[in-house]
Amino acid sequence: MAMALISTTSSSHPVERESSVCKNMKGKGAAKSDVSVIDIAGAAAVTSKVAGREEVLDVDVEIEVVDDYSQRGQWLRAALLGANDGLVSTASLMMGVGAVKADAKAMLLSGLSGLVAGACSMAIGEFVSVYSQLDIELSQIKRENNKEVKKKKLPNPIQAASASAMAFTVGALVPLLSAAFIKTHLVRMGVLVGASSVTLAGFGAVGAYVGKSPGIVRASLRVLLGGWAAMLITYGMLRLFGSVGI
């Protein structure tokens, strides 16, 4: 049995090439035959042409498949964007209220309001966006009515809206739960910032790891610094307005 090790990726066009196995076969009594390896759409076979007749030889083929992380990056980006948005917006809102008022109830109510409003906004925005994409794809299918249309999974607006709202809610729960049971104002603010910072760094690390990005630390710092900037700006602006009596 002939043995061949072939590493290949998908291709839309047939590619014919010779392997070392074929060369050895030609040198060992197959000099008058035409032996080649044919790679068609990722499948390989060894053929031999002898006296005008083509035969498929027995061959073991190992095909190396390279993972495509672009598709994985799409859903990952959407999930992390929703969770990151929920965390940063809710934490910043609570920090802003905490800058002018030490009441724990006021901070929690502002955070809860931000969670509900943000989740609804994300869900509606995603629903409208995905529904528009669905309309475009359905129109394209209608235009190809008499042609062969390859079946594919159409986008689901309700599923996309639900996933977006859920991701936002998961992120917003972090600052809410971290500050819910702390009575001392300064401690509550510190725990809020600390819990939010750790989670933001985690979001960055998870995104880089699942997407096979080499810069995990850099990705974590990028997300963390962005969250800090949002919380600091909100706290500073509300502190300034509160000091002048607005």
Side-chain angles (χ1 to χ4, degrees), residues 65-70 72 212:
V65 180
V66 179
D67 289 336
D68 182 9
Y69 295 101
S70 60
R72 180 187 298 182
K212 297 300 180 183

Side-chain angles (χ1 to χ4, degrees), residues 98-113:
V100 296
K101 197 168 185 179
D103 186 14
K105 186 177 180 180
M107 285 184 63
L108 292 176
L109 286 176
S110 65
L112 185 60
S113 299

Side-chain angles (χ1 to χ4, degrees), residues 81-245:
L81 178 63
N84 185 76
D85 193 11
L87 191 155
V88 173
S89 60
T90 304
S92 299
L93 184 59
M94 294 176 68
M95 290 287 293
V97 173
V100 296
K101 197 168 185 179
D103 186 14
K105 186 177 180 180
M107 285 184 63
L108 292 176
L109 286 176
S110 65
L112 185 60
S113 299
L115 186 156
V116 175
C120 291
S121 176
M122 291 285 289
I124 294 172
E126 193 72 12
F127 180 85
V128 172
S129 175
V130 175
Y131 213 108
S132 299
Q133 180 184 352
L134 177 62
D135 287 340
I136 293 173
E137 295 195 18
L138 289 176
S139 298
Q140 180 67 22
I141 291 175
K142 289 180 180 179
R143 283 193 293 268
E144 299 172 350
N145 46 8
N146 291 328
K147 297 179 181 179
E148 242 181 72
V149 179
K150 185 179 180 181
K151 291 184 179 179
K152 62 178 180 179
K153 186 177 180 181
L154 294 174
N156 189 329
I158 296 178
Q159 184 180 19
S162 301
S164 183
M166 185 176 296
F168 186 95
T169 301
V170 169
L173 284 175
V174 174
L176 273 174
L177 295 177
S178 64
F181 307 104
I182 301 176
K183 295 182 179 180
T184 305
H185 178 63
L186 291 179
V187 177
R188 182 169 60 251
M189 297 285 281
V191 171
L192 172 61
V193 174
S196 299
S197 299
V198 171
T199 309
L200 285 171
F203 285 164
V206 170
Y209 176 77
V210 178
K212 297 300 180 183
S213 173
I216 294 180
V217 175
R218 183 174 56 186
S220 298
L221 287 176
R222 182 168 57 243
V223 176
L224 181 58
L225 291 176
W228 280 353
M231 289 186 280
L232 181 61
I233 292 172
T234 307
Y235 180 87
M237 293 293 291
L238 269 293
R239 187 77 173 177
L240 176 61
F241 291 157
S243 64
V244 297

Side-chain angles (χ1 to χ4, degrees), residues 43 45 50 57 59 61 65 67 79 163 190:
V50 182
L57 304 179
V59 61
V61 178
V65 180
D67 289 336

